[in-house]
Each structure stands twice: as structure tokens, then as C-alpha cells.
Amino acid sequence: MTLSRKGSRYLAILALPAFAAACQPLPHPFAGDRPPAALLRVRDVAGVWIAPIEGSPPALADKLTAAMAKALLKHDIPASDKTTSLGSYQLYGRVAEAPTRQRSATVTAYWRLYNAKGGTVGEHSAKVEADAAALEAGDTNAVERLAASSADGLAPMLEEEAPVEAAESGESRRTRIAIGDIKGAPGDGATSLANAVAAVLKRQDLTIVEKGQPADLTIDGEVTVTPSKPHQQHVKIVWHVERAGGGEIGTVGQENDVPGGLLDGPWGDLAYNVAIAAGDGLMQLVARGAPEPKS
């Protein structure tokens, strides 16, 4: 399956033949801009996909989508405006502008949060006042203030909705997954990708165990970076899912052209975008290799 976008922004997410159904029209996992320097920190809260924001002024609405993802990440909430998966929460928003006094205006953001099953979790609104012309132009400061205020109100809803760890028993036990080696990743990709994949799979009713502990399945990754077009590199990531006793169940692959040097430093939330994009394919392989429940 290949998804095309203008310029360098396109992705081919490849689920190998036996798992063609794992391919879904997900946005690309590699952003065109350098990710934040901070290493992704993920608490036990719900991951969120932020839908394109509607309303006026359009320039502000366009910038607010990405700003909301960054604002939620500051609350240690995994959020992305680029990728989603079957387990993600969805956040929909719209903005409305109203004049207040001469040359000033107020923009209000109205949010509605849905869980992975489509149920409404809650609603929230936030507003910001600024120069009317600046708001029309999508002033960065106003956008960031509106995003920060919105995230402050939405974060408690997501923390309350965090999945609860189920106690293991002889009758009902989650499949145990170990994240193994991730080879060839530049920068801090090995650590960031391992943490991000663990966070994504943990929300799919799986138990993530430390390397070396008993596990039912192991997931290893292999990253290859090669020169591509001028000032670009071709990045390919292949995830291998194997049974604990040996024997590969299958692989999930991702590839894309990215700006040269993009991945040489901290991956930040980019690693989480990659993990979300691979998540559905990995889950199909996990489902195939999971041990039969004990009677």
C-alpha cells in the first residue's frame, strides 16, 4: 500500500503479504520538521489523535492542530495530529472569532473528546484575546496560549480515562511482549522507538515485560538509512515479531524519504508517530502468535 502526498511528505506502510489487511490509510509517520529535543515520556494515559480543526480565523485553526499535539505532550500525554490507530482517542475542535473592542478580538476553541469506541468522554472550551489582525494571521503566540489553555482543561479527562492494569491470573493473562533490539537507528532512535512501541502496545491489552524476563513474543526492529535525493535520506524500518521459543511470525515495514540529518539527534514525539503507524500491523501479528488462553 502506498499513500502519496505532495513533495517529500509521503509514506509507504507495508504489511507483508500474509497481513495485507493490516494496511490502513494512516498519515505518514515521518514529519517534515525536526521533532522536539525532549525524549518522549509516556505515562499511563490515553493516546490522542487530533483531527483538523475547523472554524475561523482559518490561519489560526490550521496552526492550532499541531500546537495542541505539542501542548498535550507537555502534560506527558501521547498526542499526534499526523497519525492515529484503532486504540487512539480522537479530539475534534472548532474555533470561533468574536470582536471585543477596537482592534481586538477573542477566539474561542470548542473541543469534544471521544474514546476509541466512539463514546463521548467530555467537552471543553478555552479562549484567547489578542489583536484582531494578529489572530487573522494565525499569530504564533496567540495559538500557543490557546493550545496551552485547552490542554490544561483536557488533560484531566485523559488521565481519568487511563487504562487500568488488569491483574494476571492463571485463568486470564495478557500476552507478554518484550521489546528486543532495535538496530541501525541513528540518534537516540533505538531508545525512543522502543519506548514508543511499548507505550502503543501497552494500550492494546498487552503486558510489556523487561528484556530478559519471560515473554510470549518478542519484537525487534531494524532501521536502515541510505542516501536518496539531494539533501534527503531514505529511511526504512522493519519490525520482526517472533515467538519466545524461536520462529518468526511476520514483519511490518515502514519507509519514507526524509530531510538529511533529521533523525541524527533526539527523535522526540516522532518516535511515537512511527509507533502509532506500525501499531495496527504489529497487533495483527501479535494476535496470530499469541498463546491460546489456558482453560
Side-chain angles (χ1 to χ4, degrees):
M1 177 188 70
T2 301
L3 304 177
S4 297
R5 291 180 181 269
K6 293 182 179 179
S8 64
R9 295 195 172 195
Y10 72 90
L11 163 70
I13 300 178
L14 306 176
L16 292 189
F19 290 90
C23 286
Q24 298 198 19
L26 298 177
H28 58 286
F30 298 112
D33 301 320
R34 178 170 290 279
L39 177 67
L40 176 69
R41 301 185 306 276
V42 180
R43 291 184 298 164
D44 196 13
V45 296
V48 187
W49 172 67
I50 303 167
I53 297 170
E54 302 177 347
S56 180
L60 185 142
D62 288 344
K63 292 183 178 181
L64 185 58
T65 310
M68 273 302 298
K70 293 181 180 179
L72 288 171
L73 282 168
K74 290 180 180 179
H75 285 268
D76 293 344
I77 294 172
S80 175
D81 62 314
K82 298 178 177 66
T83 56
T84 185
S85 72
L86 296 178
S88 296
Y89 281 51
Q90 296 92 41
L91 179 63
Y92 290 85
R94 64 180 179 87
V95 293
E97 182 180 13
T100 53
R101 56 181 183 270
Q102 188 177 11
R103 296 185 178 179
S104 294
T106 297
V107 171
T108 303
Y110 300 93
W111 304 100
R112 179 171 292 179
L113 179 66
Y114 297 90
N115 61 28
K117 296 181 179 179
T120 301
V121 175
E123 298 181 351
H124 178 68
S125 64
K127 63 177 62 177
V128 64
E129 182 177 352
D131 178 78
L135 291 174
E136 288 290 337
D139 176 69
T140 300
N141 180 267
V143 170
E144 290 179 351
R145 285 193 289 129
L146 184 56
S149 178
S150 298
D152 288 344
L154 291 165
M157 299 183 196
L158 291 158
E159 291 165 358
E160 291 170 3
E161 288 287 317
V164 178
E165 293 290 340
E168 291 187 2
S169 68
E171 297 179 354
S172 176
R173 179 176 60 81
R174 294 180 175 185
T175 301
R176 298 168 300 176
I177 306 292
I179 309 300
D181 296 328
I182 298 179
K183 301 178 181 178
D188 71 354
T191 300
S192 293
L193 285 172
N195 290 343
V197 168
V200 168
L201 295 182
K202 187 177 181 181
R203 306 184 199 293
Q204 301 295 329
D205 202 31
L206 302 171
T207 296
I208 306 301
V209 301
E210 296 293 331
K211 189 175 179 180
Q213 293 183 346
D216 301 305
L217 304 173
T218 299
I219 297 177
D220 295 313
E222 184 177 356
V223 181
T224 305
V225 180
T226 56
S228 180
K229 304 172 185 176
H231 309 297
Q232 288 192 326
Q233 295 174 312
H234 188 76
V235 181
K236 183 176 181 179
I237 303 176
V238 179
W239 301 99
H240 301 266
V241 181
E242 301 176 345
R243 293 182 174 86
E248 186 171 275
I249 299 167
T251 65
V252 175
Q254 301 165 277
E255 57 184 305
N256 190 22
D257 285 339
V258 301
L262 175 68
L263 307 178
D264 289 346
W267 285 47
D269 62 342
L270 180 59
Y272 189 74
N273 291 336
V274 173
I276 292 177
D280 290 337
L282 289 174
M283 281 303 300
Q284 290 208 16
L285 294 172
V286 168
R288 181 182 182 186
E292 293 292 332
K294 296 179 180 180
S295 57

